[in-house]
Amino acid sequence: GPLKPEITITYIAVSTIFFNSGLSLKTEELTSALMHVKLHLFVQIFTLVFFPTAIWVFLQLLSITPINEWLLKGLQTVGCMPPPVSSAVILTKAVGGNEAAAIFNSAFGSFLGIVITPLLLLLFLGSSSSVPFTSIFSQLFMTVVVPLIIGQIVRRYIKDWLERKKPPFGAISSCVLLMIIYTTFCDTFSNPNIDLDKFSLVIIVFIIFSIQMSFMFLTFLFSTRNNSTFTPADTVAIIFCSTHKSLTLGIPMLKIVFAGYEYLSLISVPLLIYHPAQILLGSLLVPTIKSWMVSRQKALKLTRQPKAPVKV
């Protein structure tokens, strides 16, 4: 179509989101985020090990139902996907959470996903194909890492102007993300071979929202335990990064791994639903999570304040 998503989305849109993040993020915050190893381990293990395994167990129960088997296989592919390169960062920023940690985990998870996602798809779905790791890796490097570094360099020179004007970085990223979703929907649903029964589709939508709510609650419980060392801002990044899945990486990866596959369109549907659903659900929860984070931070400040000595 006239929007040319193969260029505007694959390269320009994703690059814009990360250039935007590089421009708006304080360099010292990004450096300190690199050292938060416990948080990174939690996010990556949850999203690339626990998530796909839990979905696989759940699908064993769903296999006896009349739900379309290719949509169920599509749910498994959702579980195998890496964290997103955009939505988790945007929502973490909207709440005021640890944006630097969200950026690091999005970028790092995406690079891990280049190797791990095809292996997970092979393990759970038995798909075999030669995945061009080099081309995906170089594309990720050019669209994620390079724009982030350029954004950080540009920030050094216009730091004062940014502090004074406060450009609407969040709004820009949200508009770009909306364009990504729109073009992906157009691409998939314009396929004449797609054959969906309404019952399966409605059930899959319900399952997707249930999975997201359950996993967000689960990550919240784990990251706010008494012996946890995570701050409220860390918890926000964990909730979004651990439960969100990448559409911008996922769709091209499915097209590579299942190239020429008859049911590729049906397998893609759950991921196409999951992505806008995670943004919709995340956006609805932003005020609630923000008020929890602010009140929690205030409570922690009060407990840390030294008590005034009592006069006898």
Side-chain angles (χ1 to χ4, degrees), residues 100-113:
I103 286 182
F104 178 83
N105 278 287
S106 295
F108 184 58
S110 300
F111 282 113
L112 280 180

Side-chain angles (χ1 to χ4, degrees), residues 20-33:
N20 201 11
S21 291
L23 205 57
S24 63
L25 193 71
K26 291 174 183 172
T27 314
E28 56 274 17
E29 286 179 6
L30 196 57
T31 355
S32 67

